[in-house]
Amino acid sequence: MDDLHAVRAQEYAKVYDELLRAAARLDMLRRLEGGSVDAHATAAMHAVRFAATILWPTVPNTPQPGYRQDSERLLQLAANWREAALELGEFTPQRPALRLVSETTAGDED
């Protein structure tokens, strides 16, 4: 049983490190020219940070993630950016106004 526990701890540590590296890469990728951010990379970054936050307590002798660990906040950020990436909710693009056009002749407007 101790071997299984040790293997699991090593694998958790590997996955935790991979999640932190993935979050850092996504953080770099999300930044666009002009100070704007890419919604897809940002949503993925917050989701990966959430996963690292959830996994962190299971990894022995590992420092906390280098960002705020409030899992509720991270989950809300991931949800908000998901909507932005998928253009849902308040991020739904405005649809053009439709105008009804009919054929009329010059004396038919009465």
Side-chain angles (χ1 to χ4, degrees), residues 18-98:
E18 290 171 8
L19 289 170
L20 293 181
R21 284 194 304 272
R25 283 193 311 270
L26 287 164
D27 188 30
M28 186 260 316
L29 288 171
R30 74 189 188 100
R31 299 172 191 282
L32 301 173
E33 293 178 24
S36 60
V37 293
D38 177 71
H40 296 275
T42 303
M45 180 197 70
H46 286 302
V48 171
R49 283 182 172 184
F50 176 76
T53 297
I54 295 301
L55 190 60
W56 171 69
T58 68
V59 183
N61 304 318
T62 303
Q64 295 180 357
Y67 46 85
R68 190 170 156 193
Q69 293 89 33
D70 179 1
S71 60
E72 288 296 322
R73 177 180 170 270
L74 289 172
L75 192 56
Q76 186 59 50
L77 286 170
N80 290 349
W81 281 99
R82 174 192 166 271
E83 287 185 2
L86 300 177
E87 298 180 337
L88 301 172
E90 69 179 89
F91 300 99
T92 303
Q94 293 291 326
R95 302 208 184 268
L98 295 177

